[in-house]
Amino acid sequence: MVNFLMGVSILLAHGHIKHGDMHELERTRQYVHEAFQAGAMTCLICIASVKRNQAVWSCSGCFCIFHMPCIQKWAKDSQFLVSSPLTDDDFGKRDYPWPCPKCRFEYKRSDTPSRYYCYCGKVEDPPLDPWLVPHSCGQVCEREFKPPCGHKCLLLCHPGPCPPCPKMVTTTCYCKKAKPIPRRCSTKEWSCQLPCGRKLLCGQHKCENPCHAGNCLPCPRVSRQKCVCGKQVAERSCASPLWHCDQVCGKTLPCGNHTCEQVCHVGACGECPRSGKRFCPCQKSKFSLPCTEDVPTCGDSCDKVLECGIHRCSQRCHRGPCETCRQEVEKHCRCGKHTKRMPCHKPYLCETKCVKMRDCQKHQCRRKCCPGNCPPCDQNCGRTLGCRNHKCPSVCHRGSCYPCPETVDVKCNCGNTKVTVPCGRERTTRPPKCKEQCSRPPTCHHTSQEKHRCHFGSCPPCHQPCQKVLEKCGHLCPAPCHDQALIKQIGRHQPTGPWEQPLEPEFIQTALPCPPCQVPIPIECLGKHEVSPLPCHAVGPYSCKRVCGRTLGCQNHTCMKECHKVTEIDTCVGKNKAGPECLQCEEGCSKSRPLGCPHPCVLPCHPGECPPCVQMLRIKCHCKITSLYVECRKITTADVNEKNLLSCCKNQCPKELPCGHRCKEMCHPGECPFNCNQKVKLRCPCKRIKKELQCNKVRENQISIECDTTCKEMRRKASEIKEAEAKAALEEEKRRQQAELEAFENRLKGRRKKNRKKDEVAVELTLWQKYRYYLLPACTLVVLVFAWYIVHDEA
């Protein structure tokens, strides 16, 4: 149905829709909108909301929706009221209609709804679908458009009238002069705005109006035209050429004695009305006389029926009307209850009042001498309608009154937005949401309110800045408006006991005083450390909570008190100088001492440089053996050479040189010089040849001793002995492996008897194999002794 609403909106925006079609389209949109709104559709019979799951019936004239039971009862009651005055013979022979409660469109007895159908009438008892319009089947409507154009509605089953036909057709204008163009079927009749040009009824002029539908208007021009009789000429509209003057014709009739007495007429005047045979006044005798003579009376009685309709005229034939009937008769009154003798021409009405009930069955007839056909009740009904606001304006009747035809506009507070509902529904209909701004005057001191939508009830609290001038400082109050603040009242009612329920808190609307001024004012702290913005109401001397930090008289420390007031003295120039309120320095001197001085200054904290230190300082000499005592100021003020002299103990350096000999220099700093001149013994590589040389030359690899021939011969013999030993060890290993192999093969042959002796294979061992463990160390020892002897000999 979203597509349906979009389609309706597009058609509404179309520029070629007529005013009538626009009205029908707007009605369709309103019906669909009300169908989607909960409680918007109202049954005018019971004045109750039409729900989605209730069976309904829709009028084909006004498309108003009613509950199925309500409209069935309405039709039955209407037919009964119409047929109730009938006699038993007429009852059931005529088909009396029943009207729609709203538009009075009449339906036949056979049209009384008995089943619940959707809007288009295709589906009986349409199921409830939340995605469709309530009471709709969801199929294409396919109802014929009104007026019929040959097309059918293509929207989904919907309430209200079908919108104008949206089909495109090719059609020409009213006067058929313009070329055919494509247009909407609902607006296929159009005007090209060119002059019509059709000949008017006057036969002389052409229609000058723009192209139009229907017949041309009468010719608007004026011309001089004669009347029908031709006696007068007057300026008259060209559209009405035939006119009659007010003069008598006056033409001489064919008899030659009389003139025509007709007023201006068309055609011949005709024969003289007095010619031919004429009757006497009583119509009994006929005479043939010239037209110049009057017909005489016949002398017989008149015998015409008088006005009473019963008696005849007793006079002789006479001209003019007959006289009134004066015979005495006994007359019955109109109601038939009384009789009386009286002249026949006078009516007789008794004074008895009719006591029959009129058709409303509520009031008596009360008419004097009623003949029995009591007229319908002419009093107003006056019963309160279902809306409970109005009384029935109809003539007094039986049965239920028609629904209230009035509508009520439910308006917003300002009245600019409204919604029209049936009378009686205004109590349960919510006021529409208004998009206009609230126009109420402000209730606070401001000249205008904050912009907000129209509403019922009191306006929301004002949130604009107060902007009142504060008395103490003259600033404007920046707080939100507080002229109508809600204050909770506490303690007004004290409960008499625990059984009494506490009352809900009460709130009163009152104006609160402006809060303290919060405008930031730059203020310097007491110690002049910073300038901070303080609220205007708290402006005054304040401490920033920092350390004072002013330089004390010692010029070394600062005041550690919290930020405080300092009295400026003329002798103290600048913000960093301490004042009389600052602390007095009571610490010792904490200035840095000269490099190497471990003693503190003996004076209290003072300005300027500290005096020289005269304390004795104990130091170690360069060789770290002897302790020396020197004044602190000498050691701290001496240069490198002087410090070396002060740290020297005047003894020989006890350090060892890399060669292993002692340093020959006096106590000195740093590394010992490498100039050792002591004699050392130097040997050849095999240690057999030995010589004495200076230590520094030996360390510098300037002198070396090589082996001679004897040394080489001794080395050769030693290598031969080693080779013989290695060869003997290899042979011994081979024999051992052979013995293990033979033993393994014997075990494989199965010689495992317990009491059988094994054949022993006697192997004769050599002397080297028997005593190798003793001979090998002895030979090594002999070689070493021999080598040592040779080396010692050469030395």
Side-chain angles (χ1 to χ4, degrees):
M1 292 313 295
V2 175
N3 296 334
F4 170 74
L5 291 175
M6 290 177 62
V8 172
S9 301
I10 292 173
L11 288 175
L12 280 172
H14 201 275
H16 299 289
I17 297 179
K18 297 181 180 179
H19 178 72
D21 294 340
M22 180 71 74
H23 177 69
E24 292 296 320
L25 193 59
E26 181 62 30
R27 284 179 63 192
T28 304
R29 191 194 65 79
Q30 181 179 358
Y31 273 107
V32 175
H33 182 69
E34 290 180 354
F36 275 110
Q37 271 191 331
M41 299 175 65
T42 306
C43 175
L44 296 180
I45 299 176
C46 63
I47 314 297
S49 298
V50 178
K51 298 182 179 179
R52 290 171 173 261
N53 56 352
Q54 292 177 332
V56 296
W57 175 83
S58 176
C59 176
S60 58
C62 62
F63 301 98
C64 188
I65 295 176
F66 304 92
H67 291 124
M68 181 64 71
C70 295
I71 194 66
Q72 289 174 342
K73 183 177 183 299
W74 175 270
K76 183 177 179 182
D77 292 347
S78 299
Q79 293 171 0
F80 176 76
L81 293 177
V82 172
S83 60
S84 58
L86 302 177
T87 62
D88 294 339
D89 296 336
D90 294 335
F91 184 79
K93 293 183 179 179
R94 297 180 61 185
D95 188 7
Y96 292 96
W98 55 273
C100 169
K102 182 178 180 181
C103 65
R104 305 298 193 269
F105 183 81
E106 292 188 348
Y107 292 90
K108 297 180 180 179
R109 181 193 296 269
S110 59
D111 295 335
T112 303
S114 59
R115 295 184 180 181
Y116 167 42
Y117 287 94
C118 63
Y119 296 114
C120 64
K122 293 180 182 178
V123 179
E124 182 180 353
D125 295 329
L128 178 62
D129 191 341
W131 298 102
L132 297 176
V133 177
H135 318 293
S136 169
C137 64
Q139 301 180 22
V140 179
C141 177
E142 293 186 346
R143 284 185 288 183
E144 294 285 344
F145 286 112
K146 293 182 180 180
C149 63
H151 302 126
K152 295 182 179 181
C153 180
L154 299 179
L155 298 180
L156 299 183
C157 181
H158 61 88
C162 293
C165 181
K167 290 281 187 180
M168 299 297 293
V169 295
T170 303
T171 180
T172 185
C173 63
Y174 296 113
C175 65
K176 313 296 183 181
K177 294 180 180 180
K179 293 182 179 181
I181 60 173
R183 293 178 62 87
R184 299 271 183 188
C185 182
S186 59
T187 59
K188 60 184 178 182
E189 296 180 354
W190 60 286
S191 171
C192 64
Q193 299 301 318
L194 296 176
C196 176
R198 284 185 285 185
K199 206 166 188 178
L200 299 177
L201 295 177
C202 66
Q204 299 178 4
H205 307 105
K206 292 184 179 181
C207 180
E208 298 178 354
N209 293 327
C211 176
H212 60 84
N215 296 327
C216 297
L217 296 176
C219 184
R221 297 189 181 184
V222 177
S223 59
R224 295 182 61 81
Q225 299 177 4
K226 291 183 178 181
C227 65
V228 173
C229 63
K231 292 183 178 180
Q232 291 186 2
V233 178
E235 290 186 353
R236 292 182 58 82
S237 173
C238 193
S240 55
L242 298 178
W243 65 286
H244 298 269
C245 63
D246 54 355
Q247 293 184 6
V248 179
C249 179
K251 292 181 181 180
T252 303
L253 296 176
C255 64
N257 299 320
H258 301 95
T259 58
C260 180
E261 297 179 357
Q262 297 182 23
V263 181
C264 180
H265 62 87
V266 181
C269 296
E271 296 293 332
C272 178
R274 297 173 63 90
S275 62
K277 292 183 178 181
R278 289 180 286 171
F279 287 96
C280 65
C282 67
Q283 301 296 321
K284 291 182 178 178
S285 300
K286 186 179 292 186
F287 298 92
S288 295
L289 296 174
C291 64
T292 55
E293 295 181 9
D294 293 332
V295 177
T297 58
C298 64
D300 198 357
S301 61
C302 178
D303 206 24
K304 291 182 180 177
V305 179
L306 299 177
E307 292 181 354
C308 65
I310 301 173
H311 305 102
R312 294 181 179 272
C313 181
S314 59
Q315 295 181 356
R316 292 188 178 274
C317 179
H318 60 86
R319 293 183 177 89
C322 297
E323 64 179 5
T324 306
C325 181
R326 300 183 182 276
Q327 291 189 25
E328 290 281 336
V329 293
E330 187 172 343
K331 276 194 169 186
H332 289 273
C333 65
R334 190 166 55 182
C335 63
K337 295 182 179 180
H338 304 280
T339 57
K340 183 179 179 181
R341 292 195 63 82
M342 58 187 304
C344 182
H345 70 278
K346 291 184 178 180
Y348 175 41
L349 299 178
C350 67
E351 297 296 325
T352 304
K353 293 183 178 180
C354 181
V355 294
K356 290 184 179 180
M357 300 299 290
R358 297 195 179 187
D359 57 353
C360 65
Q361 300 299 319
K362 294 181 182 179
H363 304 102
Q364 291 181 343
C365 178
R366 306 301 294 168
R367 190 174 59 163
K368 290 182 179 180
C369 195
C370 179
N373 55 343
C374 301
C377 186
D378 56 355
Q379 298 187 30
N380 289 333
C381 176
R383 286 186 293 179
T384 303
L385 298 177
C387 64
R388 300 182 183 177
N389 296 328
H390 303 96
K391 293 185 178 181
C392 181
S394 304
V395 178
C396 188
H397 58 86
R398 285 191 293 175
S400 302
C401 297
Y402 279 96
C404 181
E406 302 292 332
T407 57
V408 180
D409 292 338
V410 179
K411 299 182 180 180
C412 64
N413 188 45
C414 66
N416 292 331
T417 306
K418 63 182 180 180
V419 58
T420 303
V421 297
C423 183
R425 291 288 293 177
E426 69 275 7
R427 302 182 186 89
T428 57
T429 303
R430 292 183 179 179
K433 291 184 179 180
C434 181
K435 296 182 179 180
E436 300 293 332
Q437 300 293 334
C438 180
S439 59
R440 295 182 184 178
T443 55
C444 58
H445 66 278
H446 291 103
T447 56
S448 61
Q449 281 191 346
E450 290 181 302
K451 291 184 178 180
H452 60 279
R453 297 285 178 84
C454 172
H455 61 91
F456 289 92
S458 57
C459 290
C462 179
H463 296 289
Q464 301 181 71
C466 178
Q467 297 297 312
K468 287 184 180 179
V469 179
L470 301 176
E471 297 179 358
K472 294 183 179 180
C473 59
H475 293 122
L476 298 179
C477 178
C481 182
H482 44 80
D483 285 355
Q484 292 184 332
L486 290 176
I487 304 300
K488 181 179 179 180
Q489 290 186 324
I490 302 175
R492 294 191 62 186
H493 175 75
Q494 295 295 334
T496 56
W499 57 86
E500 186 175 353
Q501 295 293 332
L503 299 177
E504 293 184 359
E506 295 184 4
F507 293 88
I508 59 172
Q509 236 178 12
T510 183
L512 297 179
C514 292
C517 182
Q518 299 293 332
V519 176
I521 305 295
I523 300 297
E524 192 175 28
C525 66
L526 293 171
K528 299 183 179 181
H529 301 108
E530 65 177 18
V531 176
S532 296
L534 294 182
C536 182
H537 73 278
V539 168
Y542 79 99
S543 172
C544 65
K545 306 300 181 182
R546 297 182 184 178
V547 176
C548 177
R550 289 177 177 262
T551 306
L552 299 179
C554 65
Q555 303 298 322
N556 299 322
H557 300 95
T558 56
C559 179
M560 300 304 294
K561 289 176 66 176
E562 190 180 275
C563 178
H564 59 88
K565 184 178 180 182
V566 179
T567 304
E568 298 289 345
I569 305 176
D570 296 338
T571 56
C572 297
V573 181
K575 293 184 178 180
N576 293 330
K577 296 294 182 181
E581 293 85 1
C582 294
L583 295 174
Q584 298 297 326
C585 184
E586 298 177 354
E587 298 183 9
C589 180
S590 59
K591 292 183 179 180
S592 60
R593 305 298 292 161
L595 185 63
C597 177
H599 310 107
C601 180
V602 295
L603 298 177
C605 187
H606 61 87
E609 297 293 332
C610 296
C613 182
V614 296
Q615 295 192 33
M616 299 302 290
L617 186 63
R618 181 181 178 182
I619 61 175
K620 289 286 186 178
C621 65
H622 297 301
C623 55
K624 308 298 181 183
I625 295 175
T626 307
S627 295
L628 303 177
Y629 292 91
V630 185
E631 285 187 3
C632 183
R633 62 179 179 177
K634 291 182 180 181
I635 198 72
T636 56
T637 57
D639 56 7
V640 177
N641 294 331
E642 290 178 352
K643 285 184 178 180
N644 291 338
L645 291 176
L646 292 174
S647 300
C648 181
C649 64
K650 310 300 181 180
N651 297 324
Q652 184 184 356
C653 180
K655 298 178 183 178
E656 287 186 357
L657 297 175
C659 61
H661 303 120
R662 183 178 177 180
C663 180
K664 298 298 183 179
E665 300 290 333
M666 193 170 41
C667 180
H668 63 85
E671 297 292 334
C672 297
F674 189 63
N675 54 357
C676 183
N677 294 323
Q678 285 191 0
K679 296 291 184 176
V680 295
K681 293 180 179 180
L682 187 64
R683 295 176 182 272
C684 69
C686 66
K687 307 299 182 181
R688 189 181 69 82
I689 302 173
K690 177 175 68 174
K691 291 182 181 180
E692 286 187 359
L693 300 171
Q694 288 185 357
C695 183
N696 56 352
K697 292 182 179 181
V698 173
R699 298 292 295 179
E700 293 175 0
N701 294 327
Q702 295 179 359
I703 300 174
S704 61
I705 300 175
E706 301 294 337
C707 293
D708 56 2
T709 308
T710 307
C711 294
K712 293 179 179 180
E713 182 66 25
M714 292 179 65
R715 280 201 301 272
R716 185 181 63 78
K717 290 180 180 180
S719 62
E720 289 177 355
I721 294 172
K722 287 184 180 179
E723 289 177 1
E725 291 178 355
K727 186 176 181 180
L730 182 60
E731 291 177 357
E732 180 64 25
E733 181 66 23
K734 288 182 179 180
R735 289 190 188 97
R736 188 183 60 80
Q737 291 179 357
Q738 182 66 26
E740 289 179 357
L741 180 60
E742 291 176 355
F744 179 71
E745 290 177 351
N746 290 336
R747 284 196 300 270
L748 291 177
K749 290 179 179 180
R751 298 176 181 177
R752 296 179 180 177
K753 294 182 179 180
K754 294 182 180 179
N755 299 325
R756 187 175 180 180
K757 295 182 179 179
K758 295 181 181 179
D759 295 337
E760 295 182 1
V761 180
V763 179
E764 186 178 355
L765 300 176
T766 62
L767 292 174
W768 174 256
Q769 290 177 348
K770 290 180 180 180
Y771 305 108
R772 65 179 181 274
Y773 297 107
Y774 305 103
L775 292 177
L776 186 59
C779 291
T780 304
L781 181 61
V782 171
V783 172
L784 290 176
V785 171
F786 181 71
W788 176 84
Y789 177 74
I790 293 173
V791 173
H792 184 68
D793 236 358
E794 291 177 356

